[in-house]
């Protein structure tokens, strides 16, 4: 070993020792913070599926690749990072000896080739990511950036380090080429040979370059160790765990949310019959009341802003950004952690758990952080402003887009639960809806004995369950479908089409009550459970003696469809639920319904969040509309898609119980969506949800465009094509003939 190698070896060892010590300390701190969360035992079930999902999502980059070039570039950088780790390890042999290399695989041409290819693609990939970050920087003139609110220096730093380490890899190899110590052939390592042709034959060059590479890598490790909230770097390690422990591992990537998590206390579902607010946790009032998975979520956020770029609230000037919400919770959790780790915290009656002696060593900033209310406006010094919390439509776009499977909606609803159930603090206008649900079983407060009014004048009998010996489908009408004038037309259109196709169905009539969706999304789990239990009992009775596959329900409201199909299982109700567009698509494809009249004037389709993104029903409504547009082959027209469609569809603004809250901040979400729909030039805007119908109709009318554009359900569009006689002039009317 020469004198240069002695110096490089000592320096490499010293900086590595410091970096590793700080990194171990940081990991222990992070683990301690995450362990402050509440138990979530269900996250350890089904480890095989979890492992498979994690491998598929990370190796396949299933979410990132939906972002095209960015996804591909990130894949190469990820693979490059893993391979880079091998090359950094190799550098430790090179600081000791200029001819050093990895034992066993070092020297193999295939190793030289693979590392060369990945290093080249990784360099191109990181160049692309840097260019995208610069191009989308928040300070650029005009436009909203998905990086607004992200800690930009951290992103630039991480990317610069990756680029520098990749470049130093070629420099080390180049010096080996120049000094004739390189073991790989030109065909396997052409770039390294090209770099070598430019470098002098300096024998110490290999060790010096290897030291620089180690120094850069260890500087990175030191910086991230000193910044445990630097998600843009830490996600490289945490993302594997966050994806492994995701909420619905069996659902394919990008399959929406699945059921909302039930309310839990100490890891167990809350039983409202026995629950006691002084002993049991009702939602989340303190950051440590999130589960440990919640705290892992906050730690893993990469600050990429994909969620923010899709959020309807953020895009219409509301204060809610799912990214900023996650970052606020993360920063608060880590700032409050020393207090909690010292034994601090409030019990469920609000009493401090720690003694003064336990907290004596904490600084004033930590103690001030501990006193911050989780939800509170600027004056109260809250971590999350109430306007942020109540702006969410639970559309799921953030969860759909997040590359590391962060569960924003669960966290938002958990915070709402505490506000509603314990503080009674929520937008006051929603109180009427909640009272109506409790007293009348529907959000409008309509009399229960008018639930079947929509059947009048149909020209055929709509049987109730119990009046017929057998039925194939239970037609779940929903409150909107029974009471809201526009939605009643959809209900009548569906019933007419089912009757036309000879499908045997029956309704619950006055036996039906609200599915509970608006209560659950606003955070009133108590009312949800009350309504849902009643419905589960009614439905179980209606299907008594039937095997699971024959407990079939068709629903016109995606919120009912989602709640009955995905969430009633939590209360013992297992049913086969389809949306009416799915059933209609099946009836058309099997020839039981035949469109004969082409729909003219152009049709665009608005994906309802709870049908599309939450349940991935994208194709069926489009198939139905396609068949109606072409009217039995008499036309050749295509659906006109809006720029934001399918999984990137833009919310109408009504989800998350926002239907019953005033929209006072920013641009109205429905107006934004209507402008997009009108920009297609289509005469008909088809929807598959009564709430979307209301919101978009309001938007169209608000723009004074009611004469030019019609918002109408997919079922009504099909009915016009199948039975033009029922809709004179192409305008929707209630069908009158059987
Ligand atoms: S669910 Fe929708 S509205 Fe709520 S934060 Fe996510 S993207 Fe925004
Ligand atoms: S998409 Fe996920 S990782 Fe990216 S900023 Fe949003 S929460 Fe963070």
């Amino acid at each position: 070993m020469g004198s240069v190698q002695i110096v490089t070896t000592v320096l490499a060892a010293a900086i590595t020792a410091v970096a590793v010590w700080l990194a171990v300390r940081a990991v222990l701190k992070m683990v301690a913070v995450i362990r402050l969360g509440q138990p979530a035992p269900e996250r350890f079930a089904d480890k095989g599926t979890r492992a498979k999902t994690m491998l598929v999502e990370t190796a396949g980059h299933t979410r990132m690749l939906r972002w095209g070039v960015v996804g591909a570039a990130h894949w190469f950088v990820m693979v490059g990072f893993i391979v880079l780790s091998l090359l950094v390890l190799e550098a430790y042999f090179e600081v000791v000896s200029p001819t050093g290399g990895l034992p066993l695989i070092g020297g193999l041409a295939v190793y030289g080739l693979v590392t060369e290819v990945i290093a080249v693609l990784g360099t191109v990939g990181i160049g692309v990511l840097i260019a995208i970050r610069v191009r989308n920087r928040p300070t650029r003139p005009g436009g909203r950036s998905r990086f607004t609110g992200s800690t930009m220096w951290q992103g630039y730093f991480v990317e610069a380090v990756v680029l520098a380490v990749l470049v130093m890899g070629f420099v080390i190899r180049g010096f080996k080429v120049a000094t004739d110590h390189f073991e790989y052939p030109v065909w396997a390592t052409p770039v390294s040979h090209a770099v070598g042709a430019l470098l002098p034959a300096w024998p110490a060059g290999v060790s010096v370059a290897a030291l620089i590479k180690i120094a850069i890598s260890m500087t990175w490790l030191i910086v991230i160790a000193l910044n445990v909230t630097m998600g843009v770097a830490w996600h490289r390690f945490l993302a594997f765990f966050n994806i492994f422990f995701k909420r619905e591992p069996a659902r394919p990537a990008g399959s929406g949310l699945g059921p909302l998590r039930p309310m839990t206390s100490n890891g167990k579902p809350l039983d409202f019959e026995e629950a006691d607010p002084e002993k049991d946790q009702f939602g989340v009032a303190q950051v440590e009341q999130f589960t440990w998975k919640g705290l892992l979520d906050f730690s893993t956020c990469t600050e990429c802003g994909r969620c923010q770029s899709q959020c309807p609230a953020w895009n219409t000037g509301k204060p809610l950004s799912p990214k900023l919400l996650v970052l606020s919770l993360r920063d608060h959790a880590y700032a409050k952690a020393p207090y909690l780790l010292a034994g601090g915290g409030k019990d469920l009656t609000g009493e401090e758990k720690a003694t003064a002696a336990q907290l004596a060593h904490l600084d004033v900033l930590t103690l001030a952080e501990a006193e911050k209310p989780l939800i509170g406006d600027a004056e109260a010094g809250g971590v999350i402003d109430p306007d942020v919390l109540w702006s969410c439509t639970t559309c799921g776009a953030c969860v759909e887009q997040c590359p590391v499977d962060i569960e924003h909606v669960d966290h938002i609803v958990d915070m709402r639960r505490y506000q509603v159930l314990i503080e009674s603090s929520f937008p006051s206008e929603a109180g009427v809806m909640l009272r109506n649900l409790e007293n009348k079983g529907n959000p409008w407060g309509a009399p229960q004995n008018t639930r079947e009014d929509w059947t009048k004048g149909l020209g055929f009998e709509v049987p109730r369950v119990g009046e017929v010996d057998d039925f194939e489908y239970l037609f779940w009408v929903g409150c909107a479908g029974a009471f809201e004038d526009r939605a009643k037309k959809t209900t009548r259109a569906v019933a007419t089409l089912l009757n036309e196709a000879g499908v045997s169905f029956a309704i619950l009539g006055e036996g039906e009550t609200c599915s509970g969706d608006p209560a659950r999304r606003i955070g009133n789990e108590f009312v949800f459970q009350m309504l849902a239990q009643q419905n589960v009992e009614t439905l179980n009775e209606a299907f008594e003696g039937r095997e699971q596959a024959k407990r079939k329900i068709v629903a016109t409201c995606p919120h009912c469809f989602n709640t009955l199909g995905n969430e009633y299982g939590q209360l013992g109700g297992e049913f086969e639920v389809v949306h009416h567009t799915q059933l209609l698509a099946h009836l058309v494809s099997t020839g039981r319904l035949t469109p004969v009249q082409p729909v003219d004037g152009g049709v665009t389709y608005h994906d309802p969040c709870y049908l599309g993104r939450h349940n991935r029903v994208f194709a069926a409504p489009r198939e139905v509309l396609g068949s109606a547009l072409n009217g039995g082959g008499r036309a050749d027209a295509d659906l006109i898609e809006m720029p934001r469609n399918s999984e990137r569809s833009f919310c109408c603004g009504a989800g998350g119980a926002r239907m019953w809250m005033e929209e006072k901040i920013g641009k109205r979400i429905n107006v934004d969506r209507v402008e997009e729909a009108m920009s297609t030039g289509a005469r008909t805007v088809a929807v598959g949800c009564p709430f979307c119908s209301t919101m978009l109709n309001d938007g169209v009318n608000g723009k004074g465009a009611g004469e030019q554009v019609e918002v109408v359900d997919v079922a009504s569009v099909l009915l016009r094509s199948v039975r033009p006689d029922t809709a004179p002039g192409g305008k929707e009317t209630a069908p009158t003939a059987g």
Side-chain angles (χ1 to χ4, degrees), residues 257 307-308 310-314 320-323 325 391-399 408-409 412 416 613-614 651 669:
L257 280 77
C307 55
Q308 180 172 287
Q310 306 295 307
C311 175
W314 181 256
L320 166 65
S321 146
K323 175 184 75 179
L325 176 123
S391 288
C392 179
T393 68
T394 68
C395 73
C398 47
V399 183
H408 318 67
V409 174
I412 288 171
R416 285 183 174 187
R613 204 156 30 228
H614 281 250
C651 182
I669 294 174

Side-chain angles (χ1 to χ4, degrees), residues 301-307 323 326 402-404 406 408:
C301 177
T302 71
E303 305 193 19
C304 69
R306 286 181 180 82
C307 55
K323 175 184 75 179
V326 166
C402 181
V404 292
I406 288 170
H408 318 67

Side-chain angles (χ1 to χ4, degrees), residues 194-265:
V195 173
L198 302 173
L199 294 174
W202 180 33
V206 173
S207 299
V208 171
L211 174 64
I212 293 171
K213 181 172 174 165
I214 289 169
I216 293 170
S217 304
M218 292 305 118
T219 301
W220 175 79
L221 197 55
I222 290 169
V223 170
I224 74 165
L226 294 175
N227 292 277
V228 283
T229 56
M230 193 168 164
V232 68
W234 282 105
H235 84 274
R236 288 181 180 177
F237 311 107
L238 297 176
F240 298 103
F241 297 99
N242 216 46
I243 296 171
F244 181 87
F245 289 114
K246 67 187 281 186
R247 66 205 299 288
E248 293 282 322
R251 290 171 83 92
S255 62
L257 280 77
L260 202 59
R261 282 182 64 247
M263 266 176 80
T264 55
S265 178

Side-chain angles (χ1 to χ4, degrees), residues 550-578:
K550 295 197 170 162
R551 296 159 69 89
K552 293 201 266 188
I553 297 175
V554 57
T556 53
C557 172
H559 299 269
C560 298
F561 163 68
N562 179 67
T563 307
L564 269 63
N566 288 329
E567 302 189 341
Y568 277 12
Q570 293 169 352
L571 298 161
E574 297 288 353
F575 313 107
E576 297 295 314
V577 189
V578 292

Side-chain angles (χ1 to χ4, degrees), residues 681-738:
R683 165 89 178 71
T684 302
V685 180
V687 294
C689 170
F691 299 130
C692 297
S693 174
T694 300
M695 297 303 278
L696 298 191
N697 265 301
D698 286 356
V700 166
N701 292 335
K703 293 192 90 61
E707 287 299 311
Q708 297 91 55
V709 178
E710 187 189 15
V711 179
V712 66
D713 193 273
V714 172
S716 297
V717 177
L718 179 64
L719 182 63
R720 286 174 195 173
S721 182
V722 172
R723 294 269 310 273
D725 57 307
T726 60
K731 271 285 189 184
E732 184 168 346
T733 58
T736 54

